[in-house]
């Protein structure tokens, strides 16, 4: 999931569109933008426009739709595919109108106590239309405002109720508010378009590059940044409110392993060089006698580069990617996933034949991807196939928004390294060790490794909370 916020730009929605475009890799299920045009002179009314759709950003926002999204303030969101069929209802930002308050909320993360909070709000009369955490935030915020809070205090009150991972953007009548949870699990940064008063908020810094905005800083864990302007023509001001003490950071390490784009800087780490360092470390841990190293594109590319450098092996690209096929993980059934794996990459048989190859990728989840690739390489005549993985075995589901399958489906839960090697059909297999992963990070103590070691920094209170946070959402009847 990904967030974009634009404050004080004549074409805020277009900026948001490009910001989402740059972050499309963080979610392909749905996209949405809400924009607001504050009155410029007396008598004019506030205009609010919104558009949400299923699919990729350019498909959801053709030019004529984008032109209709007027205003100088906008927030946007792309949603990552979760298990189950995509529903437009769960597209974000979520917008709510209540007694003159018009709020839009976009969220990146997952909440553990969403179910019990929903129930509480429902008992108070709230009617929910979606299964999203954004809607829950909206109801909690409205509830606090009903009790007399101004928007920033109400957002803080809502954040104090929830437990889990959240980076949040809220667009109110005059203010745009950015929040991070006390552990800073998900990224969110602030930038400014050079020589202007335009402020940009984004999950990843690659969006700033496209929008020609300079990163100012990250929103701090437990911090809320309120951007506001007194009328459409005034310069915005930024106010920082520490709504919660941060006991220390627990950033999601999977952002560095897989999620973030390599041209982003996330949690103070340059993703590109970080992935190369993982490769160099893996070469130290598990060198290999082979003829070349090949990434599984695209997720294995920079790790493979590092491995090749570290191991002193030639780096090759002899698996050709069909760029018109989406991510394999998204397919709902196992059969489709296997097919998709094969349709996406085709080995260059002339090069592969007779060679000993090391393939490299970021992770093994179910084992489907690499199993398909390995048998393909064998069919193409590879003499040996070795596999190096830039993360330790994924043994625990993520409770904070990374869409891993249930524990039962994680191959490393049931099989040893040797059994996985055999199942996939490899000559050798090595996962980067947890110690090795920590060793290449600047501040290893600042990261969450729960998917590898099961140490959840925000532990679930019970099974139900754990299931809810894993995206096993409350069933909604279909439209
Ligand atoms: P699998 O085929 O189930 O072992 O999945 C591993 C593949 O999925 C790797 O190529 C990863 O790049 C990719 N991957 C890892 N984590 C995720 C995730 N949370 N969502 C989508 N793809 C992922």
């Amino acid at each position: 999931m990904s967030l974009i916020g634009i404050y004080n730009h004549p074409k805020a929605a277009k900026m948001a569109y490009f910001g989402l475009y740059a972050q499309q890799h963080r979610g392909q299920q749905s996209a949405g933008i809400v924009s607001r045009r504050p009155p410029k002179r007396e008598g004019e009314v506030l205009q609010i426009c919104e558009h949400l759709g299923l699919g990729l950003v350019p498909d959801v926002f053709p030019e004529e739709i984008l032109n209709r999204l007027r205003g100088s303030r906008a927030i946007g969101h792309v949603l990552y595919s979760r298990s189950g069929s995509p529903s437009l209802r769960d597209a974000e930002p979520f917008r709510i109108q209540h007694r003159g308050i018009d709020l839009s909320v976009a969220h990146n993360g997952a909440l553990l106590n969403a179910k019990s909070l929903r129930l509480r709000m429902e008992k108070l009369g709230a009617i929910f239309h979606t299964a999203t955490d954004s809607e829950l935030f909206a109801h909690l915020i409205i509830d606090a405002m009903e009790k007399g809070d101004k928007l920033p205090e109400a957002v803080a009150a809502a954040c104090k109720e929830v437990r889990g991972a959240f980076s949040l953007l809220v667009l109110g009548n005059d203010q745009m508010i950015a929040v991070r949870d006390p552990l800073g699990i998900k990224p969110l940064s602030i930038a400014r378009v050079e020589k202007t008063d335009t402020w940009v908020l984004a999950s990843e810094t690659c969006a700033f590059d496209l929008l020609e905005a300079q990163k100012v800083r990250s929103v701090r864990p437990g911090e809320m940044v309120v951007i506001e302007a007194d009328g459409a023509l005034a310069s915005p001001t930024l106010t920082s409110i520490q709504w919660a003490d941060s006991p220390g950071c627990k950033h999601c390490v999977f952002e560095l392993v897989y999620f973030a784009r390599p041209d982003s800087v996330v949690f103070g780490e340059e993703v590109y060089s970080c992935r190369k360092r993982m490769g160099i470390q893996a070469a130290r841990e598990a060198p290999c006698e082979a003829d070349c190293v090949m990434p599984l594109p695209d997720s294995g590319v920079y790790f493979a580069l590092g491995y090749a450098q570290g191991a002193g092996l030639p780096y090759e690209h002899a698996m050709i990617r069909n760029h018109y096929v989406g991510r394999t993980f998204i397919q709902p059934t196992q059969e489709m996933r296997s097919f998709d794996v094969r349709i996406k990459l085709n080995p260059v048989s002339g090069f592969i034949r007779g060679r000993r190859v090391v393939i490299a990728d970021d992770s093994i989840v179910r084992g489907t991807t690499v199993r398909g690739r390995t048998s393909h390489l064998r069919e193409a005549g590879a003499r040996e196939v070795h596999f190096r993985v830039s993360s330790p075995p994924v043994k625990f589901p993520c409770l904070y928004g990374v869409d891993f399958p249930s524990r039962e489906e994680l191959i490393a839960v049931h099989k040893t390294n040797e059994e996985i090697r055999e199942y996939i059909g490899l000559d050798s297999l090595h996962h980067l060790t947890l110690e090795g992963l920590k060793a290449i990070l600047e501040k290893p103590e600042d990261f969450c490794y729960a998917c590898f070691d099961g140490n959840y920094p925000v532990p679930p209170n019970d099974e139900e909370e754990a299931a809810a946070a894993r995206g096993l959402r409350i069933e909604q009847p279909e439209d």
Side-chain angles (χ1 to χ4, degrees):
M1 288 178 265
S2 186
L3 305 175
I4 188 79
I6 309 289
Y7 199 93
N8 199 36
H9 189 283
K11 294 193 168 150
K14 276 206 171 143
M15 293 284 279
Y17 168 81
F18 285 113
L20 292 182
Y21 211 134
Q23 300 181 94
Q24 182 80 81
H25 60 288
R26 300 182 66 87
Q28 298 98 38
Q29 180 160 308
S30 69
I33 295 176
V34 175
S35 68
R36 305 176 74 109
R37 183 169 182 261
K40 287 206 170 117
R41 52 192 82 79
E42 216 158 307
E44 264 188 13
V45 290
L46 171 81
Q47 279 184 20
I48 304 165
C49 314
E50 68 181 318
H51 184 72
L52 312 169
L54 289 177
L56 301 179
V57 175
D59 301 329
V60 172
F61 296 102
E63 185 83 30
E64 65 275 15
I65 297 259
L66 212 46
N67 287 338
R68 271 193 258 135
L69 298 177
R70 303 177 69 198
S72 57
R73 300 160 190 180
I75 62 171
H77 185 270
V78 290
L79 181 68
Y80 195 69
S81 130
R82 285 210 173 240
S83 335
S85 54
S87 160
L88 182 57
R89 229 182 341 201
D90 290 339
E92 300 186 28
F94 179 82
R95 186 173 159 210
I96 195 168
Q97 290 160 294
H98 178 82
R99 303 213 299 149
I101 303 162
D102 193 305
L103 274 187
S104 298
V105 182
H107 169 228
N108 175 20
L111 305 179
L112 281 98
N113 59 339
K115 194 173 174 189
S116 58
L117 285 174
R118 275 174 79 105
L119 258 175
R120 197 185 83 195
M121 297 309 296
E122 279 169 342
K123 282 184 186 155
L124 292 174
I127 295 167
F128 283 82
H129 298 276
T130 75
T132 64
D133 292 337
S134 284
E135 182 172 16
L136 175 62
F137 271 113
H139 281 289
L140 292 170
I141 295 167
I142 293 285
D143 186 47
M145 289 179 92
E146 279 289 307
K147 290 175 185 149
D149 281 351
K150 295 258 190 311
L151 183 60
E153 290 78 41
V155 173
C159 291
K160 285 176 188 163
E161 299 269 7
V162 302
R163 288 189 304 113
F166 52 97
S167 282
L168 205 64
L169 285 183
V170 179
L171 188 61
N173 283 358
D174 303 309
Q175 295 153 322
M176 179 182 291
I177 298 182
V179 192
R180 269 176 99 194
D181 64 63
L183 301 176
I185 297 174
K186 301 288 173 184
L188 186 61
S189 299
I190 314 170
R192 187 179 191 160
V193 178
E194 221 177 344
K195 298 196 191 97
T196 72
D197 262 337
T198 300
W199 292 91
V200 182
L201 286 136
S203 300
E204 266 190 52
T205 60
C206 61
F208 299 152
D209 298 341
L210 187 62
L211 300 177
E212 298 182 340
Q214 262 62 47
K215 180 174 167 179
V216 176
R217 65 180 178 86
S218 299
V219 177
R220 284 185 283 272
E223 187 193 19
M224 168 190 301
V225 176
V226 182
I227 309 179
E228 59 193 322
D230 195 7
L233 305 175
S235 287
T237 56
L238 268 69
T239 313
S240 162
I241 300 165
Q242 195 67 33
W243 67 270
D245 290 336
S246 173
C249 301
K250 285 293 168 210
H251 307 311
C252 168
V253 79
F254 221 71
E255 289 279 345
L256 300 179
V257 168
Y258 171 77
F259 251 106
R261 243 171 64 161
D263 50 341
S264 285
V265 178
V266 177
F267 310 135
E269 294 273 2
E270 264 184 24
V271 178
Y272 178 86
S273 65
C274 190
R275 289 193 186 151
K276 275 180 70 179
R277 291 201 305 275
M278 291 172 193
I280 293 168
Q281 176 65 24
R284 260 184 228 127
E285 292 181 4
C288 190
E289 284 228 354
D291 298 313
C292 66
V293 179
M294 296 201 307
L296 297 189
D298 290 323
S299 44
V301 169
Y302 309 96
F303 168 64
L305 261 177
Y307 187 87
Q309 279 179 15
L313 292 172
Y315 176 82
E316 293 286 347
H317 248 296
M319 277 193 274
I320 307 307
R321 168 139 191 219
N322 180 340
H323 284 277
Y324 304 95
V325 183
R327 286 188 167 182
T328 50
F329 212 78
I330 302 166
Q331 303 304 334
T333 67
Q334 190 71 22
E335 298 76 59
M336 283 177 78
R337 256 193 302 275
S338 307
F339 173 72
D340 209 5
V341 163
R342 295 172 75 86
I343 205 172
K344 197 164 152 184
L345 276 188
N346 193 30
V348 182
S349 316
F351 176 83
I352 305 280
R353 197 165 305 118
R355 284 204 158 78
R356 299 167 302 168
V357 299
V358 183
I359 51 175
D361 201 5
D362 66 286
S363 57
I364 302 179
V365 180
R366 299 179 181 88
T368 320
T369 309
V370 66
R371 195 168 187 234
R373 303 271 152 81
T374 305
S375 71
H376 224 164
L377 284 167
R378 297 258 186 226
E379 283 163 29
R383 181 145 62 93
E384 289 175 18
V385 183
H386 305 266
F387 188 33
R388 299 294 177 264
V389 190
S390 70
S391 59
V394 176
K395 288 190 174 168
F396 299 88
C398 177
L399 303 185
Y400 313 123
V402 177
D403 193 21
F404 289 141
S406 64
R407 201 142 194 256
E408 297 67 55
E409 288 175 89
L410 297 171
I411 192 168
V413 171
H414 308 290
K415 293 190 195 297
T416 62
N417 197 66
E418 177 54 20
E419 286 165 348
I420 299 174
R421 183 198 67 72
E422 203 171 306
Y423 169 78
I424 294 172
L426 296 160
D427 291 284
S428 78
L429 165 66
H430 180 76
H431 284 89
L432 188 65
T433 60
L434 189 53
E435 298 67 41
L437 176 59
K438 289 180 181 176
I440 63 99
L441 298 173
E442 295 260 330
K443 290 188 179 172
E445 66 282 5
D446 281 359
F447 285 85
C448 168
Y449 306 95
C451 51
F452 310 131
D453 64 11
N455 290 327
Y456 293 103
V458 187
N461 280 341
D462 50 42
E463 267 306 308
E464 194 172 49
E465 275 199 5
R470 288 208 314 267
L472 309 173
R473 299 303 170 109
I474 300 150
E475 285 301 318
Q476 299 273 338
E478 287 304 312
D479 284 326

